[in-house]
Amino acid sequence: MADQRRTELASALRRTASGDRAALEEIYRSTSGKLLGVVLRILPDRQEAEDVLQDVYLTVWRKADMFDAERASPITWLAALARNRAIDRIRSRGGRRFVSDDVVAEQADAAPLASEQLETGEDAARLKACLEQLEQARAEGVRQAFFGGLTYETLARRAGVPLGTMKSWMRRSLLRLRACLGGAHV
C-alpha cells in the first residue's frame, strides 16, 4: 500500500510538472492534512499555517519538475518544502515564535505525519541505518529538527550548548547523512 501510494504521488508530481492541474489537486487531497500538521508544529496560528500551506502548493505547481524520486520519496520532499516554508515565514518577520507540543497536539491533523509516512516506506530503513551511524545525541537532534520542527536555537538550549556549536553539530550530521544516503537531499 505504501509503495503504491508513493508511486501514485511521484506520478502526480511528474504530471504536475507538465502543467496538469488535476494532478496538483490529487496531491493536495492526499497530502494537505499531513503537511498542515508539519506546518502547525512550527507556526502556532492556524490561519498563518494555512497561508504557508498555500505557498507550499504554489511552489509544488512551479517546481514539481525539481522532484527526484531517486533522492527522496514524494512525501519526504513535500514535508521538507512545508517545513522550510514555515521556517522562512518565521525568519521573514524577524523572530522565532514556537508553541509547546501540547498546543500543537490540539491543533494538528489526526492523519499520520510525514515522518510516520516515511517510516512506513523503503526510505525508512536507509534513513534509520544512516542515523544509527551518528552519535546518539546528534541523531536525536536531527530527528527533533526535521521531524519535530524544532529550531537549532531550541536544540542548543535543550542541550545546554551555544547556538554556534549546535549549528556545527547539525551541519556535520547532515553532511554525514547525505553521504550515507548517497547524496540524497536531507
Side-chain angles (χ1 to χ4, degrees):
M1 181 71 167
D3 288 339
Q4 179 185 357
R5 191 69 209 126
R6 179 182 179 153
T7 302
E8 289 170 0
L9 274 175
S11 172
L13 281 166
R14 283 190 299 277
R15 292 191 326 267
T16 299
S18 299
D20 184 340
R21 289 179 188 261
L24 181 63
E25 290 176 23
E26 178 185 334
I27 294 167
Y28 179 83
R29 276 192 312 275
S30 63
T31 64
S32 60
K34 292 166 188 63
L35 297 184
L36 181 60
V38 169
V39 175
L40 281 170
R41 287 184 175 269
I42 300 169
L43 295 169
D45 180 80
R46 188 172 183 94
Q47 181 61 49
E48 186 175 28
E50 289 173 357
D51 290 345
V52 167
L53 191 61
Q54 181 178 355
D55 289 343
V56 169
Y57 287 105
L58 287 172
T59 300
V60 170
W61 177 250
R62 289 190 299 257
K63 298 186 178 187
D65 62 324
M66 296 181 71
F67 170 70
D68 183 352
E70 298 296 318
R71 293 181 173 231
S73 70
I75 196 67
T76 301
W77 187 73
L78 292 165
L81 281 176
R83 180 184 180 280
N84 291 340
R85 284 284 183 246
I87 291 171
D88 288 346
R89 175 68 62 100
I90 290 170
R91 287 179 179 153
S92 72
R93 64 179 181 231
R96 300 181 190 275
R97 192 176 57 135
F98 289 89
V99 294
S100 72
D101 290 337
D102 296 337
V103 173
V104 171
E106 292 173 12
Q107 295 180 351
D109 182 38
L113 297 173
S115 59
E116 294 166 358
Q117 287 287 319
L118 176 65
E119 291 170 2
T120 63
E122 61 193 45
D123 289 341
R126 285 180 49 212
L127 181 59
K128 183 179 181 202
C130 290
L131 282 168
E132 287 174 354
Q133 292 179 15
L134 299 176
E135 180 184 325
Q136 184 177 354
R138 304 301 184 266
E140 186 57 30
V142 170
R143 283 185 194 98
Q144 289 177 356
F146 290 91
F147 296 135
L150 298 181
T151 65
Y152 291 172
E153 183 178 345
T154 300
L155 292 172
R157 190 171 46 252
R158 286 184 178 183
V161 298
L163 178 58
T165 299
M166 181 56 66
K167 286 180 178 180
S168 294
W169 288 351
M170 292 299 288
R171 176 159 174 69
R172 285 193 297 266
S173 296
L174 292 173
L175 288 172
R176 287 186 62 198
L177 280 177
R178 178 174 284 158
C180 179
L181 291 169
H185 292 296
V186 278

